[in-house]
Amino acid sequence: MDRKHYTTSQFAQKAAVTARTLRFYDKVGLLSPSEYTEAGHRLYSDEDLWSLQQILALKFLGFSLEEIKVCLQKNPEHLQEALVIQKAMLREKRSQLDAVLRAIEKAEELLKRNQRDWESILIDVIQVMHMEQDKAWVKKYLTEEQQQKLAEISQKSYSPEAAQKLAVWGENWTEEDQQRASQQWDAVFAELRRLVAERKDPTSVEGQALAKQHSELIKQLTRGDADVEAGVKQWWKNYEELPLEEKPFPMYHSSKEEKAFLQKALAHYKLSNGMQCSQN
């Protein structure tokens, strides 16, 4: 039985594309018709429909026409490799779009407050944009879900003024800075667990050494700024209220006993040194 053939207009209607698209694909060598009429008109088959569907699927996934041509000419292993690369590229694009959305939301919030003129808001957006671009290394340590959750917590915790200050301070924050800070906080929580497990007194020498270390890390983050300190305190409160499975840093989860120990240690340290300490 002869194969069924379709004219360009019939095939275009069947495939839900335009005749112009089919002519273009034929011109660039991506999809040529199975046969031609004596008058030179294109005739497409059902096999051509399957090839077209593959092309449209790859195009939907973001492949260029040249990349599609290579994928169709080579074996499935090559296609699998190409899909892995394409997935990574799309994730990067999604991350960039998320950064743009966050910048837009920040601009909208400032406009609603009518606190500053457009030029100032634009400067803020540019700062956010540069900060996002410069923090590509963050993806090595945090998944997109973790980054999104952290952004949500921060939005709830910091005032626009405090958020702006942190954004400016964070412009020069490097991967090495993050590694050092992570090691310091890991040491704080490890020591907190040890002291609680050994039933130490929060006002003991060891308890106060922990309180001092914790306070100095908070001071490094806040630089003594009252707005930022209030935001940090609220950040920890919001963070602790999250279910454990939603916390971006489950290793920083504290038991009730550990929270109580740290609060007492910090309160005693504050009284002994006449200073104001933020608590987690």
Side-chain angles (χ1 to χ4, degrees):
M1 182 180 294
D2 294 338
R3 292 186 300 174
K4 184 174 183 180
H5 288 88
Y6 309 90
T7 63
T8 299
S9 58
Q10 291 172 335
F11 190 69
Q13 184 176 7
K14 186 177 182 66
V17 297
T18 65
R20 182 178 180 182
T21 296
L22 294 175
R23 289 192 291 270
F24 177 72
Y25 285 171
D26 184 16
K27 180 179 179 180
V28 298
L30 192 58
L31 176 66
S32 298
S34 297
E35 296 183 20
Y36 291 86
T37 66
E38 293 181 358
H41 298 298
R42 299 174 178 85
L43 290 176
Y44 293 90
S45 66
D46 288 323
E47 287 78 6
D48 293 329
L49 180 61
W50 169 238
S51 297
L52 178 60
Q53 288 173 337
Q54 293 180 69
I55 293 170
L56 296 177
L58 292 171
K59 190 171 183 293
F60 175 79
L61 294 175
F63 285 85
S64 68
L65 296 184
E66 285 301 318
E67 290 170 334
I68 294 174
K69 187 184 299 185
V70 173
C71 287
L72 294 179
Q73 292 172 349
K74 299 206 172 183
N75 55 33
E77 287 75 14
H78 177 82
L79 176 58
Q80 184 175 1
E81 294 174 0
L83 286 172
V84 171
I85 296 173
Q86 189 67 12
K87 182 169 66 174
M89 293 174 60
L90 290 174
R91 282 178 172 171
E92 175 67 21
K93 290 180 181 178
R94 182 171 66 181
S95 178
Q96 293 175 354
L97 288 174
D98 287 341
V100 172
L101 287 172
R102 286 193 293 271
I104 291 174
E105 289 169 356
K106 179 179 177 64
E108 287 177 335
E109 181 181 352
L110 292 173
L111 282 171
K112 287 178 181 178
R113 292 173 178 268
N114 292 321
Q115 292 182 344
R116 282 175 284 180
D117 57 32
W118 167 242
E119 290 184 0
S120 298
I121 294 174
L122 183 59
I123 291 174
D124 285 338
V125 172
I126 292 174
Q127 288 176 341
V128 171
M129 178 184 68
H130 285 306
M131 182 178 65
E132 292 289 346
Q133 292 173 341
D134 293 339
K135 293 295 182 290
W137 55 264
V138 172
K139 299 170 189 174
K140 293 166 55 178
Y141 302 93
L142 296 173
T143 65
E144 293 182 8
E145 290 75 15
Q146 288 174 316
Q147 293 182 56
Q148 180 62 32
K149 181 58 68 174
L150 289 173
E152 291 174 2
I153 300 172
S154 296
Q155 188 174 14
K156 294 178 182 177
S157 306
Y158 295 105
S159 67
E161 294 76 17
Q164 182 186 14
K165 292 173 185 175
L166 286 173
V168 174
W169 297 348
E171 288 181 357
N172 297 320
W173 188 261
T174 66
E175 183 174 4
E176 291 72 22
D177 293 328
Q178 183 60 47
Q179 289 175 339
R180 181 173 59 255
S182 296
Q183 291 172 354
Q184 292 171 329
W185 279 110
D186 288 345
V188 165
F189 279 86
E191 179 67 0
L192 173 61
R193 295 187 183 98
R194 183 186 73 81
L195 295 177
V196 172
E198 296 180 2
R199 299 184 180 279
K200 298 290 186 179
D201 188 332
T203 64
S204 66
V205 174
E206 291 175 300
Q208 289 305 285
L210 174 67
K212 179 181 179 181
Q213 186 179 7
H214 183 282
S215 299
E216 287 178 348
L217 288 177
I218 293 295
K219 186 176 180 180
Q220 289 176 19
L221 173 62
T222 65
R223 302 187 184 185
D225 186 280
D227 288 339
V228 177
E229 285 185 3
V232 169
K233 187 173 183 179
Q234 185 61 42
W235 192 98
W236 276 110
K237 182 177 183 297
N238 292 333
Y239 181 85
E240 289 293 350
E241 291 175 352
L242 291 174
L244 179 58
E245 62 273 11
E246 292 185 18
K247 291 183 177 180
F249 306 115
M251 72 290 289
Y252 295 156
H253 173 73
S254 301
S255 66
K256 291 182 179 179
E257 293 77 10
E258 290 165 351
K259 293 176 186 175
F261 182 98
L262 184 57
Q263 289 174 353
K264 290 179 181 178
L266 290 171
H268 185 78
Y269 183 78
K270 172 184 174 181
L271 291 174
S272 301
N273 295 273
M275 59 186 294
Q276 184 174 356
C277 300
S278 297
Q279 301 176 13
N280 79 358

